[in-house]
Amino acid sequence: MSEAELIFTALAELSTRQIAENDKAIGMSENVIAGKKGGSVAKNARMELEQNTGKNVITNENYLPPKKDKK
């Protein structure tokens, strides 16, 4: 992952945790809502950065190389 991808992932996680704590989310259904809200925060920030820089944040670096067969 690139540096920017790591930062936006951390932003999504932090936002989700703080929203869940603020909403006093309990259980899966309430935490799913907090997760969507937190992900939206990071998505909006990423889209704004991409719009202002003209560069994509998402790279091919976040994919694992193909698995080699062991014989």
Side-chain angles (χ1 to χ4, degrees):
M1 293 181 115
S2 69
E3 180 181 22
E5 286 175 295
L6 290 171
I7 290 169
F8 285 110
T9 300
L11 175 61
E13 292 174 358
L14 175 68
S15 300
T16 297
R17 189 181 80 237
Q18 289 185 348
I19 290 168
E21 289 172 353
N22 189 58
D23 293 348
K24 296 178 178 50
I26 298 173
M28 183 69 158
S29 60
E30 292 180 13
N31 280 290
V32 166
I33 294 168
K36 288 182 180 183
K37 289 179 182 179
S40 182
V41 169
K43 177 185 175 187
N44 292 336
R46 177 184 62 89
M47 291 175 67
E48 186 173 340
L49 178 64
E50 288 177 341
Q51 185 178 18
N52 284 308
T53 63
K55 297 178 183 178
N56 288 333
V57 168
I58 307 300
T59 67
N60 290 332
E61 295 176 37
N62 61 342
Y63 295 106
L64 296 173
K67 188 176 180 180
K68 295 182 180 180
D69 292 331
K70 291 184 180 180
K71 289 187 177 185

